[in-house]
Amino acid sequence: MSVLGQPDDGTATRPAATPAGRCPGGQQEGPHMTQRQPAARTVPRVHPLARDRVLAYGMDCVLYFGLAVATVPAGLLAHQLGWGGSRAFVVAASSVPVLAATLYATARESGAAAATWGKRRLGLTVRAPAGRPGAGRALARNVVKIGLPWTLGHLVAIGAATGGFETGDLLTLAATVVTYPLLAVMVGTVALGAGRGLHDRLAGTGVERVTPAEPSSPGLGGARAGP
């Protein structure tokens, strides 16, 4: 007798065995039945030209610093004449080396080598979709790369020196708010991912490596990026 009072003759209903390879409910086991793993986060890769582009820019900055030093005698003369107390004059005077650096880089990158002195030392060149960038594209990229951040930086420094933060000077505060996010975006777009900096995206240019086999490689091909 079974525990339920029915004859235990082997005819009592028993739960059907689950066939191998199938789950209760009739669903087939398989990869879709396994627990899903969370998707791995993709970390932006550092562009292969990032290091050389930073070094090239550092080399160029040595030249730009020389341009700034060349304006020191004029600044001392202006101070003796009493112009140094004028904030407008100081801002205008500080823009001279920035303008000179912007025009220098424009001339070099739109010239035959399509590269500044630093880029040539590291084997880099600026390219546009049709090949060497014209003066318009080169000027646009260097206004964004050199002219804009340097001018903003000078406004912040001059404002800080003249008490702009203490008095709540709007120009000083606005320049500060814009400067640091702009620098972060420019550095991030140059170093990560496709490596095309903000200035290159706006100007339609990029930077690529020049090899002995391809001394004047046209277009935006190969290993390339900004600035």
Side-chain angles (χ1 to χ4, degrees):
M1 295 291 289
S2 69
V3 295
L4 298 178
Q6 295 181 352
D8 191 5
D9 56 358
T11 61
T13 303
R14 295 185 174 87
T18 302
R22 301 187 70 86
C23 294
Q27 295 182 349
Q28 183 72 30
E29 282 187 351
H32 66 284
M33 295 300 296
T34 61
Q35 184 178 0
R36 293 185 178 180
Q37 298 295 328
R41 294 182 179 180
T42 302
V43 178
R45 65 181 180 87
V46 176
H47 195 274
L49 297 184
R51 174 181 174 275
D52 285 351
R53 295 198 330 264
V54 170
L55 292 176
Y57 186 66
M59 292 179 182
D60 288 332
C61 283
V62 174
L63 297 179
Y64 304 154
F65 179 73
L67 294 174
V69 171
T71 66
V72 170
L76 293 176
L77 177 61
H79 182 73
Q80 291 295 325
L81 295 175
W83 298 348
S86 170
R87 179 176 176 177
F89 173 79
V90 174
V91 171
S94 68
S95 68
V96 173
V98 177
L99 178 62
T102 301
L103 293 179
Y104 158 80
T106 297
R108 297 288 295 181
E109 292 178 353
S110 61
T116 59
W117 178 78
K119 285 186 178 68
R120 292 194 66 182
R121 302 283 78 75
L122 273 298
L124 304 175
T125 184
V126 179
R127 310 304 294 175
R132 188 179 67 195
R137 288 184 187 271
L139 178 61
R141 80 186 300 274
N142 286 296
V143 165
V144 178
K145 175 187 173 183
I146 300 174
L148 181 58
W150 283 33
T151 299
L152 289 172
H154 286 170
L155 290 176
V156 173
I158 293 170
T162 56
F165 291 112
E166 290 78 6
T167 61
D169 178 65
L170 291 180
L171 182 59
T172 302
L173 297 177
T176 303
V177 169
V178 173
T179 299
Y180 295 101
L182 175 63
L183 292 177
V185 170
M186 293 183 68
V187 172
T189 53
V190 164
L192 303 177
R196 293 189 68 205
L198 177 64
H199 50 293
D200 276 308
R201 295 174 187 272
L202 295 177
T205 57
V207 170
E208 63 183 45
R209 186 177 301 283
V210 177
T211 62
E214 298 176 322
S216 59
S217 175
L220 295 175
R224 62 183 73 82

